[in-house]
Amino acid sequence: MLTTHPFDDDKLREECGVFGIWGAETAAAMVALGLHALQHRGQEAAGITSWDGHAFHTHRAMGHVAGNFDKDEVIRGLPGQVACGHVRYSTTGETALRNVQPLFAELSSGGFAIAHNGNISNAMKLKRELVRQGSIFQSTSDTETIIHLVAMSKYRTLLDRFIDALKQVEGAYSLICMTPEGMIACRDPLGIRPLVMGRVGDAYIFASETVALDVVGATFIRQIEPGELVIVSEGGLRSIRPFGDVRGRPCIFEHVYFSRPDSIVDGSSVYSVRKAIGAQLAIESPIEADIVVPVPDSGVPSAIGYAQESGIPFELGIIRSHYVGRTFIQPGDQVRHLGVKLKHNANRALIDGQRLVLIDDSIVRGTTSVKILQMLRDAGAREVHLRIASPPTRHSCFYGVDTPERAKLLAAQMNVAEMAAYIGADSLAFLSIDGLYKALGEEGRVDRAPSYCDACFTGDYPTHLTDQEELTPTDQLALHGERVVA
């Protein structure tokens, strides 16, 4: 049994999506719809917690939103006008129901539910101290650390205890929290992970992407700013900034790959940015060719931009099937090899004898690129020139993205010429880091004060990485056994 399709095992994966609503008659149903729109951000598990004014209700399940939250009896079991939900993709840690969010705990102030997108980069160190003080953890998720910090805080009000907890954590977080007093939505001081606010009728909505607002008919109001907490309760909506004035550094890879192209991120259309990325790539790395071919689906907007800028025709030289699940039987090497074509197949009649510019969003391990290049060669492509719509991924992410360790990143081990030979491309070129910033409307990357977190490309991590820097592998095993992040 292979749990990941051969064309899916070589992509960076955003680990989570969150959605919350306050003041809707059918809150849980609205959350389920919103999670459908965020399914691309986490496909391993999903959960919804609701509050009916008297009690909290939770349903969590492994698998997709569809099938788990499309049943009337499930939604009826989540009553109330307040609800939040979460879709999850884990990293190397345990896949278990106890790690599925929202996580819930009974605190001295009452029930507390939390949904988290991101990664706490000092969670293991914090957990070690909390365990020494008597905390008993029920999951291996770094999100639970926040709950224990809130519970242990000496401040009087729940909001002050929550802020106290946030001031102790490092890394990336977009959070939606539910308490009997209200709903809290917040981003870390750098705003690394996205979070937006919308409204439908009298109900307020918070979500990882604007596309989730669209699906429930909500109006986009604005993004939650870096370091901002928005609290909505019976008394209305208010905003506080406990971290003072901060300069955000949101994740630049949201524009390259993570977000859906129909979303608005940091005020920019993701689709338009990806087309601009393709155009910039054509300016930086032109080549004589017959057609521009995207690796579907993520390479399509950049390929359109490359084609328009270069004047080379855009064609669908690879056709993707949308009916292949992530899990399927592979009884033997021969069938496994054939299974590669279940999801992507070369459009032989179009590419036979042609010189191709192949556009993909990134190269991680390089295994997918090898398979695609061989597939195109087998279909008769005369030349294949690979162009990547991002800079080389040379560094791991510790902010909520599933990234292989650096030793497994192809660009960290080879130069561009070596990578081209390994993949089997006639030529290979990446977008420059300045080109990526230009596609986002800037003049280039400013080394001393970059506008985005681009650590996966540059190694310039915007926060401390305490767990990576201070704890030994033995410490990590003792604390978690198996490492899981939000």
Side-chain angles (χ1 to χ4, degrees):
M1 178 74 74
L2 190 69
T3 57
T4 304
H5 192 279
F7 275 119
D8 286 336
D9 64 358
D10 192 28
K11 290 290 184 183
L12 298 182
R13 289 187 177 90
E14 171 66 87
E15 287 165 5
C16 297
V18 295
F19 187 100
I21 186 166
W22 173 278
E25 290 295 332
T26 56
M30 297 279 275
V31 171
L33 287 172
L35 294 182
H36 271 290
L38 299 174
Q39 188 73 85
H40 60 288
R41 300 185 75 89
Q43 300 167 38
E44 185 175 273
I48 296 176
T49 297
S50 70
W51 163 250
D52 64 7
H54 304 284
F56 287 87
H57 309 269
T58 297
H59 183 80
R60 300 182 296 167
M62 307 305 297
H64 289 187
V65 178
N68 286 314
F69 291 95
D70 291 350
K71 302 170 184 175
D72 290 341
E73 60 269 25
V74 172
I75 298 300
R76 285 197 300 269
L78 297 166
Q81 297 185 14
V82 182
C84 70
H86 187 271
V87 288
R88 174 178 181 268
Y89 174 81
S90 72
T91 57
T92 57
E94 180 184 37
T95 299
L97 194 60
R98 64 176 177 158
N99 290 316
V100 181
Q101 298 187 29
L103 298 183
F104 177 80
E106 288 285 355
L107 306 182
S108 59
S109 56
F112 184 85
I114 183 170
H116 171 206
N117 172 211
N119 183 42
I120 306 303
S121 59
N122 65 335
M124 288 187 281
K125 182 178 181 179
L126 290 170
K127 181 176 181 179
R128 179 173 60 185
E129 297 301 320
L130 287 163
V131 169
R132 285 176 179 171
Q133 296 175 46
S135 293
I136 300 172
F137 281 71
Q138 301 298 314
S139 76
T140 56
S141 169
D142 61 343
T143 308
E144 191 180 353
T145 305
I146 298 174
I147 296 176
H148 288 276
L149 290 172
V150 173
M152 299 288 283
S153 175
K154 303 302 183 183
Y155 283 85
R156 186 177 62 84
T157 69
L158 177 60
L159 181 59
D160 286 339
R161 291 161 67 186
F162 181 63
I163 293 171
D164 180 41
L166 294 185
K167 288 186 175 181
Q168 297 178 63
V169 303
E170 301 168 357
Y173 55 81
S174 284
L175 303 172
I176 297 176
C177 304
M178 289 167 47
T179 78
E181 300 174 11
M183 176 174 282
I184 305 170
C186 66
R187 292 174 78 186
D188 67 80
L190 294 176
I192 296 174
R193 300 263 70 85
L195 192 64
V196 298
M197 177 170 62
R199 191 164 185 176
V200 56
D202 294 327
Y204 286 99
I205 296 176
F206 305 96
S208 293
E209 292 185 38
T210 59
V211 68
L213 303 178
D214 298 338
V215 78
V216 298
T219 300
F220 170 66
I221 298 175
R222 63 177 178 87
Q223 69 174 3
I224 306 302
E225 297 299 324
E228 181 184 18
L229 276 70
V230 175
I231 304 101
V232 57
S233 64
E234 295 297 338
L237 184 141
R238 62 190 177 108
S239 168
I240 59 175
R241 297 176 183 268
F243 302 100
D245 292 331
V246 291
R247 177 183 173 88
R249 284 187 64 181
C251 173
I252 203 166
F253 219 90
E254 291 285 347
H255 296 279
V256 174
Y257 176 69
F258 295 143
S259 295
R260 269 181 41 169
D262 45 342
S263 282
I264 306 295
V265 174
D266 302 320
S268 299
S269 159
V270 175
Y271 179 79
S272 296
V273 168
R274 288 179 187 167
K275 282 183 63 179
I277 285 173
Q280 185 65 33
L281 186 58
I283 293 169
E284 293 184 358
S285 301
I287 193 74
E288 289 188 8
D290 301 311
I291 55 175
V292 175
V293 173
V295 176
D297 288 321
S298 57
V300 171
S302 294
I304 293 173
Y306 192 103
Q308 290 177 347
E309 178 66 31
S310 66
I312 302 172
F314 170 91
E315 298 286 358
L316 294 178
I318 300 173
I319 305 301
R320 179 186 174 188
S321 170
H322 293 267
Y323 303 99
V324 179
R326 291 185 61 210
T327 302
F328 57 99
I329 301 295
Q330 292 285 3
D333 290 342
Q334 182 179 2
V335 176
R336 176 184 174 84
H337 177 72
L338 294 174
V340 169
K341 296 186 177 181
L342 286 175
K343 191 164 188 177
H344 292 82
N345 192 38
N347 189 350
R348 180 181 295 270
L350 178 71
I351 67 175
D352 188 18
Q354 299 295 298
R355 299 171 299 169
L356 279 55
V357 181
L358 182 67
I359 308 293
D360 204 355
D361 57 82
S362 60
I363 293 178
V364 184
R365 295 179 181 90
T367 53
T368 294
S369 299
V370 171
K371 294 167 187 172
I372 290 177
L373 265 292
Q374 187 59 53
M375 180 179 68
L376 294 173
R377 300 286 192 194
D378 292 343
R382 181 155 55 100
E383 296 177 11
V384 182
H385 301 276
L386 183 56
R387 296 293 181 266
I388 304 300
S390 63
T393 303
R394 294 193 173 102
H395 304 271
S396 297
C397 177
F398 301 101
Y399 300 123
V401 176
D402 177 36
T403 314
E405 59 191 58
R406 191 158 188 251
K408 295 182 180 178
L409 294 172
L410 194 66
Q413 308 305 314
M414 299 180 182
N415 61 36
V416 174
E418 291 169 337
M419 293 172 70
Y422 172 79
I423 291 167
D426 291 283
S427 70
L428 168 65
F430 292 83
L431 183 68
S432 69
I433 188 67
D434 279 346
L436 181 54
Y437 274 78
K438 288 177 182 177
L440 285 158
E442 302 195 13
E443 294 184 3
R445 186 183 193 273
V446 180
D447 289 338
R448 291 186 178 181
S451 303
Y452 295 90
C453 175
D454 51 24
C456 56
F457 304 131
T458 65
D460 178 12
Y461 294 99
T463 74
H464 293 296
L465 301 175
T466 298
D467 289 344
Q468 296 296 318
E469 296 166 354
E470 298 185 10
L471 297 186
T472 67
T474 301
D475 290 330
Q476 297 179 17
L477 286 172
L479 286 169
H480 281 279
E482 293 176 288
R483 177 73 174 128
V484 174
V485 299

